[in-house]
Amino acid sequence: MASEVRLQWPKATSAIPAGSANFENLVVQFSVSASVRSFEFLASLPVFGTRVAVEMLVATRHDGRFAYELVDEMPVRDVDTEGLLLIALQQRGIRLVEVDAFRLNAEPEATNRALIWRCRDRPVESRVKRAVEAALIQHGPLPARTLGSILELPDPLPTLCALACQGTVGLDLSHKLNGRTRVVKLGGQSSLAPAGR
């Protein structure tokens, strides 16, 4: 893993090291995923008086904590080290999820995440953010075009993508982003599919 660089990632609770393209894709996925509340980079954990290397991203979701291992890039571990790693994660209630490049870059989710990420620096007026939250509280999950009509925004997707980067809303990424894309308010349990599953 490359040397640690502090990056400004939405939802990150620790410094995130620079990494491979797949690692960066996973960071972006966590940053825009409706099911991820926060994430961190876990370098190592103590177990039985020693430290075991973890070097994985750990996501906190509504259904628990999960360490994501990129199987295409995982280090070679002997049986003892692998056992200590699994024990260290289990002791902290962290489940292991193995992700390969094919699944990480599956479409249409990968393209949708990239589109959302491009809107991360787009400014959103506080009144628009409040109006989006109020509409979703009042009506529950809504299609993007319905939110656009309520807010009188002819093209609501860039604004909704920016709010997804801020962790305000979640977008259903299982279909190409368009006016039918389902939007949910974040802050409680999400009804959208979890990241990495």
Side-chain angles (χ1 to χ4, degrees), residues 53-142:
V54 179
E55 296 189 342
M56 294 180 219
L57 291 170
V58 176
T60 300
R61 307 186 328 207
H62 70 273
D63 54 347
R65 295 181 73 208
F66 298 84
Y68 285 73
E69 179 144 59
L70 295 167
V71 294
D72 306 302
E73 302 170 15
M74 63 191 286
V76 177
R77 301 185 192 100
D78 60 37
V79 175
D80 292 337
T81 304
E82 182 75 14
L84 286 174
L85 171 64
L86 295 175
I87 290 169
L89 292 174
Q90 184 180 37
Q91 285 178 343
R92 286 152 187 85
I94 301 171
R95 291 178 268 179
L96 184 63
V97 175
E98 293 183 340
V99 182
D100 61 23
F102 178 79
R103 191 165 96 189
L104 185 61
N105 296 298
E107 294 295 349
E109 290 92 342
T111 297
N112 287 338
R113 286 194 303 269
L115 287 171
I116 292 170
W117 192 241
R118 281 199 288 271
C119 295
R120 68 188 178 278
D121 296 323
R122 181 186 179 92
V124 179
E125 294 179 33
S126 57
R127 66 170 185 81
V128 172
K129 179 178 177 179
R130 287 192 305 270
V132 168
E133 291 178 310
L136 294 174
I137 289 169
Q138 181 178 356
H139 302 287
L142 290 170

Side-chain angles (χ1 to χ4, degrees), residues 168-181:
T168 302
V169 301
L171 305 176
D172 181 0
L173 305 183
S174 63
H175 303 284
K176 182 179 177 182
L177 291 177
N178 57 38
R180 294 186 303 276
T181 297

